[in-house]
Amino acid sequence: GRALALELGRRRALGLGLGLGIGLPAGAAVTREYVDFDGKNGLVDGLFQDCRGMAACVSSQDDRPPCFLEPFVYDDSFEVAKRKLLVAVKRVLPDAQLVLDDDRYARFVSPAGGGASDVMEFYFTPNDDTVQFRAERDGAGTDFGANRKAMERVRIKAGFDFVPVLRNRTRVLGAIESPFDSFGPTTNELKWSMPRGMDPGDLLPNGVRGELDPMAPIFPTPNRQTREVLRESKGPLPSPSP
């Protein structure tokens, strides 16, 4: 089966290993792979930067509740899906400019008024059919939910589904869910801690892998039939605004 192409479980697994005091193998060289990285945007080992401001950013790779939005999943080939995504962004945000188009990575910049701009990044995960993304308003303290709404409209316009993600929420206020809750280590906390190419499970004892919850089942990327069932159970998708 296809492995779930998310860094969320990967981060939790590594976080567990570090929490148990398990370090990197002696002499392990830490090397990084950069893709169009300028210090704020771009990829480092297939990961975006964490959102700098939780009120002005949404990302499929930032576990914090105010920032997180599920990755997209598609049924077409990568080439067809990418064309659909690029067209969808322009239809949802006509003023958006494609400033970087580098194979599986694409970056748009769209004016947001008042001298601010929205920077939207998309990454088609290799060997899978998921799209990771990050959208942040640069130059403003909040985007009032604009980027979250835009990413949802882009997903619908492109004809993509979203990947259902099961996460272990750590509640700060007991039984009450709040924006201060967390779902595990974030990108910036872990991405410099592991040599490139190493599976986080390699850091865990006795081959333990996956979620912090030992009873959590393996959750693969759902196939098309499963996604149709999930979509039917949620009711029809909303139509995007013209």
Side-chain angles (χ1 to χ4, degrees):
R2 297 171 298 175
L4 179 61
L6 297 175
E7 297 299 333
L8 306 178
R10 171 175 181 262
R11 295 171 195 159
R12 290 194 205 99
L14 179 56
L16 175 58
L18 296 177
L20 293 174
I22 302 171
L24 297 175
V30 178
T31 59
R32 307 262 68 92
E33 180 182 6
Y34 298 89
V35 176
D36 299 314
F37 183 68
D38 60 9
K40 295 194 301 183
N41 306 110
L43 295 166
V44 180
D45 288 350
L47 298 177
F48 298 121
Q49 296 294 290
D50 278 342
C51 290
R52 292 184 293 276
M54 289 190 291
C57 179
V58 63
S59 173
S60 63
Q61 292 184 344
D62 193 325
D63 292 356
R64 293 171 295 179
C67 304
F68 181 75
L69 188 62
E70 294 89 346
F72 306 154
V73 61
Y74 56 90
D75 294 317
D76 302 297
S77 67
F78 155 65
E79 292 78 10
V80 171
K82 184 177 179 181
R83 286 199 298 271
K84 287 184 176 180
L85 175 71
L86 299 184
V87 170
V89 173
K90 290 294 292 182
R91 288 181 176 175
V92 171
L93 300 166
D95 294 331
Q97 297 297 317
L98 180 62
V99 297
L100 268 175
D101 185 359
D102 187 357
D103 191 27
R104 290 182 171 271
Y105 175 81
R107 185 188 304 169
F108 286 86
V109 176
S110 178
S117 59
D118 291 327
V119 181
M120 296 156 286
E121 304 177 90
F122 300 92
Y123 178 54
F124 287 78
T125 310
N127 304 315
D128 209 331
D129 54 5
T130 55
V131 184
Q132 305 287 349
F133 58 86
R134 179 181 184 275
E136 183 171 34
R137 180 153 297 181
D138 192 8
T142 179
D143 66 356
F144 300 101
N147 278 305
R148 181 176 293 272
K149 294 175 183 176
M151 291 301 98
E152 274 293 288
R153 292 180 62 200
V154 167
R155 178 184 66 79
I156 295 169
K157 183 69 73 173
F160 298 161
D161 285 324
F162 63 88
V163 178
V165 177
L166 302 180
R167 299 177 295 165
N168 294 321
R169 178 188 290 265
T170 300
R171 294 180 174 86
V172 175
L173 303 177
I176 302 174
E177 295 183 357
S178 75
F180 305 103
D181 297 347
S182 64
F183 296 113
T186 59
T187 306
N188 285 336
E189 294 173 316
L190 296 179
K191 68 185 174 189
W192 303 108
S193 305
M194 184 176 61
R196 178 177 168 236
M198 177 179 287
D199 188 318
D202 296 337
L203 302 179
L204 304 180
N206 303 321
V208 176
R209 296 170 183 269
E211 301 284 347
L212 287 177
D213 181 358
M215 301 301 292
I218 296 173
F219 190 71
T221 303
N223 57 28
R224 179 182 296 186
Q225 182 178 7
T226 302
R227 291 198 296 272
E228 289 177 352
V229 172
L230 290 171
R231 185 165 54 242
E232 289 172 0
S233 67
K234 291 176 67 66
L237 292 173
S239 299
S241 300

